[in-house]
Amino acid sequence: MVKVLASAPGKVTLFGEHAVVYGYPAIVTAINKRVYVEAELRNDNEIKINAQDLRVPGLIVSIGEGEVVVTTDYGRSLAAMSYLSKAIEVTSKFLNERKGVNLVVTSEMPVGAGLGTSAAVSVATIAAYATCLGHELSSEVIAQLGWQVEKEVQGIASPMDTTISALGGTLKLWYEGTTVHKTPLALSSELPLVISYVEREKTTKEMVAKVKELRNRHSELVDEIMKSIGFVTNKAEQALLKNDLSEVGLLMNVNHGLLDALGVSTRRLNELVYLARSSGALGSKLTGAGGGGATISLVQNSKAELVLNVLSMFSLMSFKAVINTEGVKVKVLAK
Ligand code: MEV
């Protein structure tokens, strides 16, 4: 039976999350934590998912009238599961073809920590399922389908997470309608970043909805904040290209302040950000949708150990980021 292994990276948003949903640019980079999806064709029409790493131990998905039905004994299936099942549905519709598969999903990343797991799950599932069905999709097409998955699950989403997970590297990215503009950024050195995360209190979907509600109540105010985030992101692009780390750090701090103003930071995230700064980081901000989740701190080598130790004490996990990594990869294990 045909068997395929696909993997896709997580990401950190260096600048511009949330504003990117409203058409402003963001700078995002792929990290060396990946989601793996192994897909094996079945003789019947069933889709079986084993996603222990997503903390849903055994779950049957069947394809009904044009849509994928997820059945689980658990009252609440993890948010990541809705991306997985939607990815199968969207791929089937796009290829106009359906076959049963066994899917085994594993993740090197904590799920829902703000590192783009849901996008990586979507992208790797699309690639694995399509390849099993005998189709070789380009990374660009996988990115577009992945975006569709995120939009359908979240209601509103930018193409940022799925694009970086499919293409990899570091991108400045923005979109107009369905057109995604992207400029690869050749960073002059590896950015010395530390990623830390704390428990997620809210999902990406909820955080995006929260910002939308605030914008409905105070559109001019929120639009000014979004515009400022866009301005900071453009400045940061220049600073990154010049490898001016102290300027990059300063702009990270400003970006965090603007995200806090949008109401997406939390006390725990603010604590991490301030601890990092007071331990010597050049800058620190939340990354991703917020509501708990991850922060990134820019740390020069001489301070790296101290910052990492301090952040480790106050977070669930802290580690040095390896950025600029490869996008989606597919390997055929059996034909
Ligand atoms: C989530 O990683 C990033 C957000 O900007 C949402 C999105 O871009 O769809 C908060």
Side-chain angles (χ1 to χ4, degrees):
M1 271 295 175
V2 181
K3 197 172 176 182
V4 171
L5 179 67
S7 72
K11 62 100 221 304
V12 288
T13 310
L14 301 175
F15 292 93
E17 51 275 269
H18 284 291
V20 69
V21 175
Y22 296 91
Y24 294 96
I27 299 174
V28 62
T29 186
I31 59 170
N32 68 333
K33 301 274 177 210
R34 302 180 76 86
V35 165
Y36 294 83
V37 176
E38 190 186 279
E40 185 172 24
L41 275 190
R42 292 171 59 91
N43 287 322
D44 55 23
N45 202 24
E46 268 199 8
I47 308 248
K48 287 219 160 147
I49 300 174
N50 181 339
Q52 281 177 9
D53 266 24
L54 306 183
R55 284 175 249 150
V56 180
L59 160 120
I60 309 283
V61 179
S62 50
I63 299 178
E65 284 295 305
E67 64 173 42
V68 173
V69 185
V70 183
T71 339
T72 162
D73 291 342
Y74 293 75
R76 189 177 71 100
S77 67
L78 265 192
M81 294 312 299
S82 34
Y83 293 88
L84 212 158
S85 52
K86 188 60 83 180
I88 293 167
E89 189 184 314
V90 163
T91 312
S92 293
K93 272 197 194 137
F94 177 75
L95 298 172
N96 201 16
E97 197 177 337
R98 288 179 204 149
K99 274 185 192 157
V101 279
N102 292 329
L103 296 170
V104 181
V105 187
T106 46
S107 173
E108 292 173 345
M109 287 176 278
V111 175
L115 302 176
T117 343
S118 54
V121 164
S122 307
V123 163
T125 305
I126 293 165
Y129 189 49
T131 310
C132 254
L133 295 178
H135 300 266
E136 200 179 311
L137 301 182
S138 68
S139 306
E140 296 281 347
V141 168
I142 295 171
Q144 275 290 339
L145 294 176
W147 185 20
Q148 202 179 320
V149 171
E150 295 237 301
K151 279 191 283 193
E152 289 190 26
V153 175
Q154 284 170 211
I156 169 168
S158 82
M160 175 174 71
D161 291 12
T162 41
T163 303
I164 196 68
S165 189
L167 304 186
T170 304
L171 294 173
K172 177 180 170 188
L173 169 154
W174 70 102
Y175 76 109
E176 285 168 294
T178 53
T179 309
V180 184
H181 301 276
K182 40 193 184 307
T183 318
L185 287 193
L187 299 188
S188 51
S189 77
E190 279 196 5
L191 268 192
L193 282 181
V194 172
I195 299 175
S196 302
Y197 72 90
V198 288
E199 192 95 26
R200 194 83 186 267
E201 292 160 26
K202 298 271 194 254
T203 62
T204 298
K205 184 177 173 171
E206 288 167 327
M207 297 315 289
V208 170
K210 187 176 176 193
V211 172
K212 193 171 171 218
E213 271 161 38
L214 186 67
R215 190 166 178 261
N216 289 343
R217 275 174 64 182
H218 295 287
S219 62
E220 273 179 57
L221 179 61
V222 171
D223 286 344
E224 285 303 319
I225 298 174
M226 297 294 185
K227 213 159 110 188
S228 299
I229 295 178
F231 184 81
V232 169
T233 302
N234 284 324
K235 283 246 167 242
E237 179 188 12
Q238 299 311 316
L240 282 165
L241 292 175
K242 280 191 244 153
N243 202 31
D244 183 347
L245 295 187
S246 81
E247 179 76 354
V248 173
L250 176 90
L251 293 167
M252 281 169 68
N253 291 345
V254 175
N255 194 165
H256 180 81
L258 293 166
L259 287 165
D260 202 11
L262 287 178
V264 299
S265 193
T266 62
R267 187 173 64 84
R268 300 284 322 268
L269 288 175
N270 285 350
E271 275 165 10
L272 286 185
V273 159
Y274 280 93
L275 277 167
R277 291 178 197 164
S278 55
S279 314
L282 294 170
S284 185
K285 66 183 272 293
L286 73 85
T287 183
T295 62
I296 46 172
S297 306
L298 186 66
V299 192
Q300 271 164 332
N301 277 341
S302 57
K303 301 277 166 61
E305 205 166 325
L306 176 65
V307 174
L308 195 58
N309 285 342
V310 170
L311 289 177
S312 299
M313 277 191 277
F314 290 91
S315 62
L316 287 175
M317 196 195 264
S318 294
F319 54 93
K320 222 172 160 283
V322 176
I323 63 162
N324 239 333
T325 58
E326 236 186 309
V328 65
K329 286 200 281 191
V330 183
K331 194 165 150 192
V332 177
L333 302 176
K335 287 196 178 177

